[in-house]
Amino acid sequence: MKIAFASCMNLRPGHAQPVWDRIAAHKPDYLFLLGDQIYMDFFPHLEEPKHWADDYFGQVMAQKYTDQWNVPGFKQLVASMRERQGPEGGVYGTWDDHDFAWNNACGSQVNAAKKNMSRALFAQFMQIDPPVAGLYYSTPLSHAGQRIGRAIFLDTRWYSEEPGDSHTLLGEDQFQFLQQELQDENGFVVICAGMPIRATGNGWMRYRDEYAKFRALIQGRNVIFLSGDIHENAFLPPAGATKMFEVISSGAFVTKYKVVGERENFGILDYTPTVTDIQLFDKHGLEHHNVIDNATFDHQEL
């Protein structure tokens, strides 16, 4: 079973997005889009959408989705993946700040009208519409007719408050969902979110109490956590008493602070019964390559 994962696409007129053809060449079973599928704002115009009228906000967001979904390579890849949408493959994902509202937006800072427009457009274009206010859900993972495990997608924006030790990130209902999903699954577990945990200073650890609650839920579980956001790739082995690898692929088509230049970052997770092979690519080719032993959950960097 092969999962391609990527995030952060800031479409600019006249610029191609060759990363999608590169992903297609790996012939993945699943495509996970992990946030910032569009950019409502980008430097030096950060946070401008918070001042827009609601109708204008919705119009701009709809156009940005339309433009990105019509990029030839992306459109072809998504269409080919959706031909088998379901347990055997397909396109899944969640959002982060720039496709939720604006840079670093928390749910508590965004009015109901903008939040509902954002969610409706995400559901329309991603064709994912969970029966909850936010965007948390799961999907089974299978290959060749055999159930392997499940992917759990979390929402780190809709319910969130501004960072603080006792402030909300996921919220009680989402924690109950996550707890039940983990209890019901004995196989391979991938947890996905737009906001990284340890790979950035702007991650989950700013929410001390909820981060501790999350760590307690995954204690002793073999988990691979996939995320985006930071405009670069990263592979972080388990820390402390957890058995969770954090893997980031960010920058499918975006610049790094408008200095480093265009990214073509993506990841490939290739699961077999014995090992999980994780490769992270940039525009020059293979950047990180790690193999995890599924029995011991030890890893080797190649």
Side-chain angles (χ1 to χ4, degrees), residues 224-253:
I224 296 178
F225 180 88
L226 302 181
S227 189
D229 178 64
I230 61 176
H231 297 187
E232 56 190 45
N233 295 327
F235 181 93
L236 285 73
T242 71
K243 299 176 71 176
M244 183 186 74
F245 288 89
E246 181 174 1
V247 187
I248 311 295
S249 184
S250 174
F253 185 75

Side-chain angles (χ1 to χ4, degrees), residues 83-103:
E83 287 180 358
R84 51 177 173 158
Q85 188 83 8
E88 292 285 336
V91 181
Y92 300 91
T94 188
W95 56 18
D96 198 30
D97 49 348
H98 294 282
D99 53 346
F100 169 64
W102 51 77
N103 185 55

Side-chain angles (χ1 to χ4, degrees), residues 9 17 19-21 23 31 33 37 65-82 91 125-126 252:
M9 299 111 74
Q17 295 185 0
V19 65
W20 310 117
D21 293 334
I23 290 175
L31 174 63
L33 299 175
Q37 276 71 254
Y65 269 113
T66 299
D67 292 344
Q68 176 60 50
W69 258 247
N70 280 315
V71 170
F74 181 71
K75 183 177 182 179
Q76 183 176 356
L77 176 62
V78 169
S80 66
M81 301 297 296
R82 281 190 175 145
V91 181
F125 282 88
M126 288 289 294

Side-chain angles (χ1 to χ4, degrees), residues 199-301:
T200 173
N202 293 324
W204 289 39
M205 289 189 292
R206 297 173 299 164
Y207 299 84
R208 182 198 62 195
D209 294 353
E210 292 214 353
Y211 176 53
K213 192 173 182 178
F214 175 78
R215 284 171 60 94
L217 282 182
I218 65 168
Q219 191 78 11
R221 291 293 302 257
N222 293 351
V223 171
I224 296 178
F225 180 88
L226 302 181
S227 189
D229 178 64
I230 61 176
H231 297 187
E232 56 190 45
N233 295 327
F235 181 93
L236 285 73
T242 71
K243 299 176 71 176
M244 183 186 74
F245 288 89
E246 181 174 1
V247 187
I248 311 295
S249 184
S250 174
F253 185 75
V254 70
T255 57
K256 180 74 170 178
Y257 311 129
K258 285 196 171 182
V259 175
V260 176
E262 294 175 0
R263 321 250 90 185
E264 291 183 28
N265 294 348
F266 67 96
I268 298 291
L269 184 157
D270 192 354
Y271 173 90
T272 69
T274 55
V275 299
T276 301
D277 190 316
I278 298 177
Q279 301 179 56
L280 297 172
F281 297 86
D282 64 13
K283 61 184 176 183
H284 304 295
L286 183 62
E287 183 180 25
H288 299 284
H289 189 186
N290 291 269
V291 176
I292 301 169
D293 184 296
N294 293 337
T296 64
F297 228 51
D298 294 328
H299 82 286
Q300 180 182 9
E301 184 174 356

Side-chain angles (χ1 to χ4, degrees), residues 25-154:
H26 287 267
K27 298 181 179 179
D29 301 296
Y30 298 88
L31 174 63
F32 289 176
L33 299 175
L34 301 178
D36 297 338
Q37 276 71 254
I38 59 168
Y39 274 74
M40 288 295 285
D41 61 339
F42 199 77
F43 181 83
H45 303 290
L46 297 176
E47 300 187 14
E48 286 185 359
K50 72 166 60 174
H51 306 295
W52 295 347
D54 296 342
D55 288 348
Y56 182 68
F57 178 92
Q59 291 169 11
V60 172
M61 180 172 277
Q63 189 60 57
K64 285 180 177 289
Y65 269 113
T66 299
D67 292 344
Q68 176 60 50
W69 258 247
N70 280 315
V71 170
F74 181 71
K75 183 177 182 179
Q76 183 176 356
L77 176 62
V78 169
S80 66
M81 301 297 296
R82 281 190 175 145
E83 287 180 358
R84 51 177 173 158
Q85 188 83 8
E88 292 285 336
V91 181
Y92 300 91
T94 188
W95 56 18
D96 198 30
D97 49 348
H98 294 282
D99 53 346
F100 169 64
W102 51 77
N103 185 55
N104 291 330
C106 302
S108 62
Q109 300 171 326
V110 183
N111 69 30
K114 286 186 172 69
K115 288 174 75 170
N116 289 331
M117 289 178 190
S118 179
R119 192 192 184 288
L121 286 165
F122 184 97
Q124 174 186 339
F125 282 88
M126 288 289 294
Q127 296 185 16
I128 297 165
D129 193 12
V132 294
L135 289 172
Y136 59 90
Y137 63 98
S138 72
T139 185
L141 298 174
S142 302
H143 185 67
Q146 181 179 356
R147 171 72 182 264
I148 294 169
R150 77 178 65 198
I152 303 169
F153 293 85
L154 300 179

